[in-house]
């Protein structure tokens, strides 16, 4: 593999798409060795076929705000690769959304979904719509307008969207309602649905639960447990709150959460009623982080700072891409961090990842750690297809098993001669091999 040539060509074709280029480089560096050992991949030009999405839909969303003003947003759906199953991946509503961010997410999703053991291809979509400060009625009108376009290109056997940043249960409800009306069928085309209308138990908390299950497996390789550990978490969204609940349940103390404007440090631990309080604020679209520091005495809000300056044993970045930079990694290492598990997609910059790997810290990438979310989406699809609802225990047991299986795959392909597991390499190689071999089996299409 001529990695630099591939990257140069990709950059020429996709100028300025920094996040996308970052995600591709990471995967190619990891798989270079296994790729070179298997000349059949090169003969079938697998890399070039993998780094070009199958198709990208771009569309305009027009909607009317509460003051009667007509607003216009840009939206996308990227169907990246369906070698192992229908396209599958979330929708992100955030003002930063652009083609580079969605391509990086769609590309990562191919390998993540491959790791889950379930038959799902990779996709991502979303819009530069900013849900912050919008009324419930505005959110509904936007979601309906979004689906007026999207419904034409999705379906339960073709492409199954879900949530991501800015898209949770409420948005999935509005999107699903409109899909059903337009398509005239009720086959569960979105995942993350409400429990009364086809959703799966555990899906809302699955990404965070799965991340903690994965961290538990990582710690086990060092004879350690989650119990008694201090945990720093960033964000307080879908992923972060599930992780906070599960880490607390397993006996750890969660001491931070964050938003874009800073973080909260709560030395007494963020659990129980405190999580309930934040979920209530979140449900009514209110700011969470600052009010928390007023509500609970003994806690501090650190304006403009990252939580990674706090001493912790386990760090779970659960907010957004490239939020944990080199200086943060240096702080964490200096303070004796044992395990860094990415709850978000690509939250650590390449420089930060390099420091963790050099320092032989237990470090695992989002595509392995947060795969429990999409895996449980896959379980929701299975339940919809069977017209059944599994009890909590069944879904949770399956999620647990899937996270253990992903961990085993990472160890299988990432363990070095010195015994240190490079989870980045392990996840990328395991995810890649299944997809590449499926592409070989199915010919040039
Ligand atoms: P949410 O929108 O529910 O939460 C995102 C959280 O991150 C919010 O607390 C938000 O704060 C905070 N945040 C956003 N931007 C920044 C920033 N620049 N700096 C600090 N904090 C920020 O999203 P999710 O929890 O769903 O997603 C979080 C991450 O997890 C993303 O990377 C996503 O791709 C990934 N992921 C999500 C899955 C899912 O099932 N939802 C599955 C797998 C991965 P505020 O609300 O104040 O803006
Ligand atoms: O990044 C992700 O894996 C998600 N946002 C969840 C995707 C899904 O289809 O459940």
């Amino acid at each position: 593999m001529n990695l630099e040539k591939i990257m140069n060509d990709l950059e020429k074709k996709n100028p300025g798409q920094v996040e996308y280029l970052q995600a591709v480089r990471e995967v190619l560096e990891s798989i270079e060795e296994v790729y070179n050992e298997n000349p059949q991949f090169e003969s079938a030009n697998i890399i070039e076929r993998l780094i070009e999405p199958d198709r990208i839909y771009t569309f305009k969303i027009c909607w009317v705000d509460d003051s009667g003003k007509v607003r216009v947003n840009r939206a996308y759906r990227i169907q990246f690769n369906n070698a192992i199953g229908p396209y599958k991946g979330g929708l992100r509503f955030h003002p930063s959304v652009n083609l580079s961010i969605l391509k990086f997410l769609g590309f990562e999703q191919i390998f993540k979904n491959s790791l889950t053991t379930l038959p799902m291809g990779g996709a991502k979509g979303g819009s530069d719509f900013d849900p912050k400060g919008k009324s419930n009625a505005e959110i509904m009108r936007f979601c309906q307008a979004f689906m007026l376009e999207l419904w034409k290109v999705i379906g339960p056997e073709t492409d199954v969207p879900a949530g991501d940043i800015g898209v949770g249960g409420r948005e999935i409800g509005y999107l699903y309602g409109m899909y059903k009306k337009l398509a005239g069928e009720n086959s569960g085309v979105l995942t993350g649905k409400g429990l009364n209308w086809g959703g799966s138990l555990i899906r809302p908390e699955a990404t965070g639960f799965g991340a903690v299950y994965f961290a538990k497996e990582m710690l086990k390789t060092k004879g350690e447990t989650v119990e008694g550990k201090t945990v720093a978490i960033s964000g307080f969204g879908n992923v972060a709150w599930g992780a906070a609940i599960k880490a607390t349940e397993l006996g750890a103390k969660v001491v931070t959460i964050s938003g874009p404007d800073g973080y909260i440090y709560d030395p007494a631990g963020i659990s129980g009623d405190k999580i309930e309080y934040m979920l209530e604020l979140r449900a009514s679209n209110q700011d969470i982080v600052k009010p928390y520091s007023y509500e609970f005495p003994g806690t501090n809000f650190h304006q403009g700072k990252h939580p990674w300056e706090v001493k912790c044993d386990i760090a779970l970045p659960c907010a957004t891409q490239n939020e944990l930079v080199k200086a943060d990694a240096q702080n964490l290492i200096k303070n004796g961090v044992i395990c860094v598990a990415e709850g978000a997609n690509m939250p650590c910059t390449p420089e930060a990842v390099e420091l963790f790997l050099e320092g032989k810290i237990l470090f695992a990438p989002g595509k392995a750690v947060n795969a429990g979310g999409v895996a449980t989406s896959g379980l929701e699809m299975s339940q919809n297809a069977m017209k059944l609802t599994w009890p909590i225990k069944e879904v949770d047991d399956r999620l647990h098993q899937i996270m253990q299986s992903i961990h085993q795959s990472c160890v299988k392909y990432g363990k070095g001669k010195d015994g240190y597991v490079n989870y980045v390499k392990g996840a990328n190689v395991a995810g890649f091999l299944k997809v590449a071999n499926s592409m070989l089996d199915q010919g040039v299409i």
Side-chain angles (χ1 to χ4, degrees), residues 224-271:
E224 293 274 5
T225 61
V226 174
E227 195 178 353
K229 300 288 184 298
T230 300
V231 181
I233 292 183
S234 62
F236 192 77
N238 299 314
V239 180
W241 70 260
I245 289 175
K246 187 52 78 177
T248 306
E249 199 182 299
L250 296 185
K253 186 161 79 171
V254 176
V255 293
T256 68
I257 53 146
S258 74
D261 48 350
Y263 77 92
I264 287 288
Y265 176 60
D266 182 348
I270 299 167
S271 62

Side-chain angles (χ1 to χ4, degrees), residues 90-94 96 104-105 109 112 124 130 132 162-168 203-204 206-208 234-241 258-262 282 286-289 305-307 317-321 323 342-347 366 369-374 377:
L91 298 171
R92 178 176 291 194
F93 292 170
H94 194 271
S96 65
F104 118 64
L105 290 163
Q109 201 82 42
K112 183 195 304 189
K124 202 81 187 189
D130 187 358
K132 276 238 167 88
D164 193 80
I165 291 181
V167 178
R203 176 62 188 92
T207 314
S234 62
F236 192 77
N238 299 314
V239 180
W241 70 260
S258 74
D261 48 350
R282 200 168 175 266
Q286 295 182 58
D287 211 15
I288 293 167
V289 175
K305 294 276 180 62
H306 296 171
C318 295
T320 193
Q321 65 277 349
E323 52 153 315
E342 294 188 330
N345 287 310
M346 210 168 74
V369 177
N370 70 39
V374 72
S377 280

Side-chain angles (χ1 to χ4, degrees), residues 77 86-90 154-162 188-191 381:
R77 182 70 180 167
Y87 300 107
K88 179 87 194 88
I154 60 173
E157 302 297 339
T158 51
D159 184 353
V160 183
V189 70
L190 294 150
T191 58
M381 289 163 71

Side-chain angles (χ1 to χ4, degrees), residues 15 87 133 150 158 241 243 270 277 280 323 371 408 422 424:
Y87 300 107
L150 189 70
T158 51
W241 70 260
I270 299 167
Y277 167 79
E280 272 168 33
E323 52 153 315
Q408 275 165 12
N422 180 335
V424 178

Side-chain angles (χ1 to χ4, degrees), residues 62-345:
C62 298
W63 57 283
V64 183
D65 72 17
D66 286 348
S67 71
K69 195 171 153 207
V70 176
R71 305 278 201 111
V72 181
N73 284 97
R74 185 176 286 178
Y76 310 86
R77 182 70 180 167
I78 302 180
Q79 296 178 338
F80 223 114
N81 183 293
N82 66 352
I84 64 171
Y87 300 107
K88 179 87 194 88
L91 298 171
R92 178 176 291 194
F93 292 170
H94 194 271
S96 65
V97 161
N98 59 31
L99 211 44
S100 172
I101 289 179
L102 294 184
K103 277 166 77 177
F104 118 64
L105 290 163
F107 183 70
E108 294 257 300
Q109 201 82 42
I110 304 170
F111 307 101
K112 183 195 304 189
N113 293 2
S114 164
L115 286 169
T116 64
T117 70
L118 302 173
M120 300 181 289
K124 202 81 187 189
S127 171
D128 58 7
F129 171 75
D130 187 358
K132 276 238 167 88
K134 301 290 185 298
S135 70
N136 190 39
E138 287 175 327
I139 298 278
M140 182 178 77
R141 287 198 292 277
F142 179 80
C143 289
Q144 291 176 338
F146 187 90
M147 192 49 86
L148 270 174
E149 283 293 326
L150 189 70
W151 82 281
K152 299 170 198 163
V153 299
I154 60 173
E157 302 297 339
T158 51
D159 184 353
V160 183
D164 193 80
I165 291 181
V167 178
R170 174 181 59 167
E171 291 73 20
I172 294 293
Y174 295 145
L175 290 163
Y176 189 66
M178 190 49 124
Y179 175 84
K180 225 177 52 172
K181 189 173 174 80
L182 293 164
E185 47 106 334
N186 211 338
S187 53
V189 70
L190 294 150
T191 58
K193 297 185 292 297
L195 291 177
N196 291 330
W197 39 278
S200 174
L201 285 158
I202 303 272
R203 176 62 188 92
E205 47 279 82
T207 314
F209 277 22
V212 175
Y213 292 152
F214 196 90
K216 189 173 97 175
E217 295 301 312
M218 294 168 80
L219 289 165
K220 215 192 271 175
T221 65
K222 299 266 186 219
E224 293 274 5
T225 61
V226 174
E227 195 178 353
K229 300 288 184 298
T230 300
V231 181
I233 292 183
S234 62
F236 192 77
N238 299 314
V239 180
W241 70 260
I245 289 175
K246 187 52 78 177
T248 306
E249 199 182 299
L250 296 185
K253 186 161 79 171
V254 176
V255 293
T256 68
I257 53 146
S258 74
D261 48 350
Y263 77 92
I264 287 288
Y265 176 60
D266 182 348
I270 299 167
S271 62
D273 291 352
K274 294 174 178 173
I275 293 181
E276 292 303 321
Y277 167 79
M278 289 188 287
L279 287 176
E280 272 168 33
L281 290 182
R282 200 168 175 266
S284 52
N285 252 2
Q286 295 182 58
D287 211 15
I288 293 167
V289 175
K290 268 190 210 153
Y292 185 100
S293 65
Y294 308 139
E295 182 78 11
F296 301 107
T299 65
N300 298 307
F301 174 65
H302 297 262
Q303 178 90 36
K305 294 276 180 62
H306 296 171
W308 318 122
E309 59 189 24
V310 164
K311 184 170 168 49
C312 64
D313 305 306
I314 301 172
L316 302 176
C318 295
T320 193
Q321 65 277 349
N322 292 327
E323 52 153 315
L324 194 160
V325 301
K326 187 176 176 182
D328 297 321
Q330 283 165 335
N331 269 335
L332 285 167
I333 294 170
K334 188 182 76 198
N335 286 330
V337 74
I338 306 170
C339 172
V340 181
E342 294 188 330
N345 287 310

